Amino acid sequence: QVQLVESGGGLVQAGGSLRLSCAASGIIFSRHVMAWYRQPPGKQRELVATSTSGGDTSYTDSVKGRFTISRDNAKNTMYLQMNSLKPEDTAVYFCNAKVVQGIWTSNYFGQGTQVTVSS
């Protein structure tokens, strides 16, 4: 059973930093694409950053240069370092695992962690 548990959210002032963590179990972590999504209040969930099994990373334009996604395969843990936070970064942040099984890809999400940035 795949389980993803996020932590590290909280309340921070604009310009501050937070580091989110995602602990994964039930999967061979190193084999899969991992990602961070977020859902701002009243809006749809959006992709923030992606980390492939090969170490490639990508970011949505609004966080480029401010956020860094990383992973520690030995610890089955993924991180999102968020710097220079803005009020518009306020959202629930979700960890995502894209698990490929044969021809199928299943998306798993954690329960989310709230990030609130005050102006």
Side-chain angles (χ1 to χ4, degrees), residues 4 6 20-22 27 29 32-38 45-53 56-59 69-71 78-80 93-99 107-110:
L4 304 171
E6 303 96 334
L20 306 183
S21 299
C22 170
I27 57 173
F29 183 81
H32 304 292
V33 173
M34 301 293 296
W36 286 99
Y37 283 75
R38 68 185 180 187
R45 191 174 297 188
E46 61 179 359
L47 178 62
V48 175
T50 302
S51 170
T52 71
S53 58
D56 294 327
T57 59
S58 62
Y59 301 89
I69 188 172
S70 62
R71 59 198 293 168
M78 177 176 67
Y79 305 97
L80 185 68
Y93 284 71
F94 296 90
C95 174
N96 167 253
K98 303 183 187 299
V99 178
N107 274 295
Y108 295 92
F109 288 92

Side-chain angles (χ1 to χ4, degrees), residues 38 40 46 66 86-91 93 117:
R38 68 185 180 187
E46 61 179 359
R66 300 188 298 121
K86 303 175 181 181
E88 51 263 43
D89 295 318
T90 294
Y93 284 71
V117 184

Side-chain angles (χ1 to χ4, degrees), residues 49-119:
T50 302
S51 170
T52 71
S53 58
D56 294 327
T57 59
S58 62
Y59 301 89
T60 191
D61 286 346
S62 62
V63 308
K64 284 180 180 177
R66 300 188 298 121
F67 290 11
T68 303
I69 188 172
S70 62
R71 59 198 293 168
D72 185 335
N73 290 333
K75 295 182 178 180
N76 280 11
T77 302
M78 177 176 67
Y79 305 97
L80 185 68
Q81 178 66 44
M82 304 186 295
N83 298 328
S84 302
L85 282 161
K86 303 175 181 181
E88 51 263 43
D89 295 318
T90 294
V92 179
Y93 284 71
F94 296 90
C95 174
N96 167 253
K98 303 183 187 299
V99 178
V100 177
Q101 296 169 308
I103 63 171
W104 304 103
T105 297
S106 298
N107 274 295
Y108 295 92
F109 288 92
Q111 82 288 350
T113 186
Q114 177 70 47
V115 172
T116 302
V117 184
S118 63
S119 56

